[in-house]
Amino acid sequence: MGEPTKHSQSDKLHRRGLLFILSSPSGAGKTTLSHMLLKQDSDITLSVSATTRPPRPGEVDGVDYHFVSDAQFDAMVAEDEFYEWAHVFDHRYGTPKGAIRAALKEGQDFLFDIDWQGTQQLYQKDQQDVVSVFILPPSLDELRRRLESRAQDSNAVIDDRMDRARAEISHWAEYDYVVINDNVDECFDRVREVLDAERMRRTRQTGLIPFVRELMGG
Ligand code: 5GP
C-alpha cells in the first residue's frame, strides 16, 4: 500500500454544496425519488421542512416534517427562521434556515422537496447554489391513478390536488431541468445524472485552484 496518488486526491477536492430542488405535482413521484436519492447518496441530506399540516399515517415528526402548530409557525416567521415559506393547499410550509448556509461551505448538499413558490424564493435568496428539477407525470390520468392508489386522501382531496397539479405544472418552465417520470428507475437515473454533473461545475469545485497550482508545480 503506497501513498495515495494525486489522482485519488483529486476525487476528494473541496467543493461547495448545492441546494437540489425536486418539485412536481403531488403524486408525480418526487417523494419516492427523494427517498431513493437519500438512500443511495450520503453526500446529500434532506432539508426537513416545518408544516402546519397534520401528520399522515406513518409520517414521523422531525424526519418527514417538523409538525408545528399555527402559533409556532407564526413565531418562526416573526423570528425570521425561514429561508422561504409558502401557503400550499390549506397549510403553511417552510424551510428552516438552520445550519444550511454554513454547511454549504463545508460541501454538504441539501435536497428540497418544495413547490414552485419555495423554488422561486430560494432562487431569489441564493441563485448560485440552487439546482432545480421539475418532475412531470406521463399524463394527468396516470397522475390521478397514482393519487387514488395512495388511498390516504378522500375523493374531494384528490379532486382538489388534481386542480392544483395543473397549477403546479404550469410552472415547469421556471426550472433548470425537467424529467418525465414514466418509469421511476429511469427517472431516477436522469435525476442522478443532473446531480453528478452539477457537482462538477467549475464554480462549485473550490478546491481546484490549490489543486491546479500544485499540478503546475507551485
Ligand atoms: P405534502 O402535504 O403532500 O407533504 O406537500 C404538499 C406540498 O408542499 C408539496 O408540493 C411540497 O413540495 C410542498 N412543500 C413541502 N415543504 C415545503 C417547504 O418547506 N416550502 C414550500 N414552499 N413548499 C413545501
Side-chain angles (χ1 to χ4, degrees):
M1 288 279 203
E3 290 292 302
T5 63
K6 290 287 179 204
H7 180 73
S8 72
Q9 283 173 4
S10 71
D11 290 341
K12 297 192 191 74
L13 281 190
H14 190 268
R15 68 171 176 87
R16 185 173 168 81
L18 52 83
L19 305 175
F20 196 60
I21 300 177
L22 287 182
S23 290
S24 75
S26 292
K30 67 178 183 294
T31 305
T32 306
L33 293 164
S34 297
H35 288 158
M36 290 167 84
L37 194 56
L38 291 166
K39 203 168 152 196
Q40 203 201 66
D41 191 323
S42 58
D43 287 341
I44 192 159
T45 185
L46 189 67
S47 165
V48 180
S49 299
T51 182
T52 56
R53 162 170 86 61
R56 295 199 186 108
E59 286 185 331
V60 178
D61 188 32
V63 176
D64 298 288
Y65 283 104
H66 300 291
F67 294 100
V68 299
S69 65
D70 269 315
Q72 284 171 310
F73 202 96
D74 286 342
M76 292 175 84
V77 171
E79 296 293 320
D80 195 24
E81 284 181 31
F82 288 121
Y83 226 162
E84 60 77 32
W85 69 271
H87 287 276
V88 185
F89 308 123
D90 297 324
H91 299 286
R92 286 180 292 171
Y93 295 79
T95 303
K97 279 184 192 160
I100 287 183
R101 280 182 198 272
L104 275 178
K105 274 193 193 140
E106 299 305 315
Q108 175 70 57
D109 299 321
F110 288 93
L111 178 63
F112 293 81
D113 171 347
I114 58 177
D115 77 334
W116 64 272
Q117 303 172 80
T119 305
Q120 284 188 352
Q121 290 180 60
L122 274 188
Y123 262 116
Q124 281 157 16
K125 292 237 167 84
D126 188 358
Q127 192 169 9
Q128 63 162 353
D129 295 319
V130 172
V131 176
S132 64
V133 182
F134 197 86
I135 309 294
L136 280 174
S139 70
L140 288 185
D141 284 349
E142 175 62 16
L143 185 68
R144 183 165 191 103
R145 206 188 54 72
R146 289 181 193 171
L147 285 177
E148 284 170 350
S149 71
R150 276 185 186 175
Q152 285 180 350
D153 298 312
S154 68
N155 263 343
V157 170
I158 290 173
D159 286 344
D160 193 39
R161 290 198 167 214
M162 285 301 293
D163 287 344
R164 287 160 199 267
R166 288 189 181 82
E168 182 83 19
I169 289 171
S170 71
H171 291 275
W172 68 274
E174 294 157 27
Y175 284 74
D176 298 322
Y177 299 88
V178 179
V179 184
I180 298 171
N181 186 5
D182 215 339
N183 169 298
V184 75
D185 291 320
E186 283 170 21
C187 181
F188 180 68
D189 288 345
R190 299 288 90 76
V191 168
R192 267 234 65 102
E193 284 161 11
V194 168
L195 179 59
D196 289 342
E198 287 286 346
R199 281 174 171 162
M200 279 189 291
R201 253 183 204 278
R202 175 178 51 76
T203 48
R204 292 206 168 92
Q205 296 203 65
T206 45
L208 272 178
I209 291 176
F211 175 79
V212 174
R213 192 175 292 146
E214 198 181 322
L215 184 74
M216 305 296 278

